[in-house]
Amino acid sequence: MTRLPISHIQEAAEAALNVARPYLREGRVASYIPALSSVNPDHLGLAAVTLDGHTVTAGDAVTPFSIQSISKVFTLTLALNKVGEKLWARVGREPSGTAFNSIVQLESEAGRPRNPLINAGAIATTDQIINSGGASGGASGGVLGGAREAIDDIESFLQTVAMDTAVEIDLDVAASEAAAGSRNRSLAHFMAAFGNLTHPVETVLDVYFHQCALKMTCLQLARAGLYLANEGVDPLTGKRITSVDHCRQINAVMMQCGHYDNSGEFAVRVGLPGKSGVGGGILAIAPGKGAVAVWSPGLNEAGTSFSGAAALEHFSAALDWSVFSV
Ligand code: GLU
């Protein structure tokens, strides 16, 4: 691989934000989770980390935001590490072509969600990382038995891969999600009715709401995604985070399913495996090169950051990072 000068990557980052800035008010901030609705739509940030550890930042790259569904990439990693290929009996790996919180397919497909990056699939995936027989709970901050350990594991996994102990869960956002969580409760109960959850619905949702409420910066997220650009090994610590096979599977699922029902559009425009969250963040992986995260809270109709996608499209093209480039 030809290594790009870091100044070139920095210029691409700044140029990408300049291209994206005019679109800041085109998107809409997510309002169905009350705690997200008050975020200023004018934020725009980008951070990239290369496999050799070089970092570039532009705009609001070190302002924490709610990573929401981007957490699904990390819980997918943890679930594959824990149960391996058996995960795919619980959840598929096909694009859904429906909204992230759609219930329609679940009924016709007997409670097995299409993929781990839509809400139903992420809930089924999170169920797999909860240890049975966890400490009885409910007393500590309302977290239910068995959930506490999984929440701690997820938070500490993110601290490890981001190499930053400041990564934490925003408990107000988690509570807000739980309070507005009827749709996710419906999905979970539906799967439970088909026997596709191994823990009680409220225990699984407790973990799910907390993982979505992780608060991170673009810089922390790009750093955290680096193992996915390096066949499962963190290039900066040399630590294996997941197997080569799992890493390839995660990237393949991100490429096809990472952005709700505009995943195809994202693949065409950006050409990188990625994951959007309704907090306005997007993480994208350039295998063999690095990881990049953008944040801008205004979303398009499908739930992907409007300006964030524009910035990534420009950034990927400027560096020729698309996986389809030769
Ligand atoms: N916590 C959000 C939900 O469950 C995540 C959605 C997203 O970011 O796609 O609806």
Side-chain angles (χ1 to χ4, degrees):
M1 165 188 93
T2 322
R3 201 161 284 168
L4 293 167
I6 195 69
S7 58
H8 185 58
I9 303 179
Q10 182 68 47
E11 277 163 29
E14 280 157 20
L17 295 199
N18 289 338
V19 167
R21 204 163 275 114
Y23 302 109
L24 281 176
R25 293 295 173 116
E26 296 284 321
R28 290 253 165 83
V29 175
S31 57
Y32 74 101
I33 300 170
L36 296 184
S37 61
S38 53
V39 176
N40 177 353
D42 293 332
H43 284 296
L44 178 64
L46 183 153
V49 185
T50 60
L51 289 197
D52 50 10
H54 284 115
T55 292
V56 303
T57 56
D60 300 321
V62 293
T63 307
F65 62 92
S66 190
I67 73 166
Q68 292 294 314
S69 276
I70 303 172
S71 65
K72 294 168 182 171
V73 172
F74 301 109
T75 47
L76 174 59
T77 304
L78 289 171
L80 282 169
N81 286 354
K82 184 170 176 218
V83 304
E85 303 299 304
K86 281 189 293 195
L87 179 70
W88 303 118
R90 300 265 172 195
V91 56
R93 42 200 195 185
E94 295 292 345
S96 68
T98 58
F100 63 97
N101 56 5
S102 169
I103 204 163
V104 175
Q105 267 169 353
L106 263 188
E107 173 153 35
S108 58
E109 299 183 1
R112 180 173 175 264
R114 275 284 171 109
N115 68 68
L117 301 184
I118 52 173
N119 286 11
I123 292 167
T125 301
T126 290
D127 174 54
Q128 293 294 307
I129 63 179
I130 300 171
N131 284 325
S132 300
S136 63
S140 59
V143 172
L144 295 162
R148 178 80 271 159
E149 186 188 358
I151 294 167
D152 289 347
D153 286 349
I154 294 166
E155 193 176 51
S156 101
F157 179 76
L158 266 302
Q159 290 175 350
T160 301
V161 287
M163 274 178 96
D164 194 340
T165 51
V167 172
E168 61 180 12
I169 290 166
D170 184 327
L171 297 178
D172 290 339
V173 173
S176 182
E177 292 219 41
S182 300
R183 186 93 188 181
N184 286 322
R185 278 195 183 84
S186 306
L187 295 170
H189 278 290
F190 214 79
M191 288 189 288
F194 279 103
N196 200 17
L197 290 185
T198 58
H199 297 91
V201 162
E202 286 300 330
T203 302
V204 182
L205 288 175
D206 217 351
V207 182
Y208 175 77
F209 292 141
H210 280 81
Q211 76 181 58
C212 289
L214 273 157
K215 207 167 57 170
M216 293 175 73
T217 68
C218 289
L219 184 57
Q220 290 166 336
L221 254 186
R223 175 67 190 79
L226 216 49
Y227 69 94
L228 292 169
N230 194 42
E231 301 216 300
V233 172
D234 183 326
L236 306 186
T237 63
K239 191 172 165 208
R240 177 159 292 287
I241 306 296
T242 195
S243 70
V244 175
D245 269 4
H246 291 162
C247 182
R248 290 179 186 174
Q249 289 175 15
I250 295 163
N251 278 325
V253 170
M254 286 171 87
M255 179 62 98
Q256 297 195 84
C257 319
H259 312 277
Y260 322 113
D261 50 351
N262 60 181
S263 298
E265 176 77 11
F266 190 90
V268 168
R269 286 174 56 194
V270 179
L272 295 173
K275 182 74 197 93
S276 296
V278 295
I282 309 176
L283 171 65
I285 307 299
K289 300 185 175 79
V292 50
V294 294
W295 172 49
S296 173
L299 310 176
N300 68 16
E301 281 184 358
T304 293
S305 171
F306 201 106
S307 298
L312 272 179
E313 180 178 5
H314 186 88
F315 186 74
S316 171
L319 302 181
D320 205 20
W321 267 15
S322 163
V323 297
F324 306 111
S325 297
V326 288

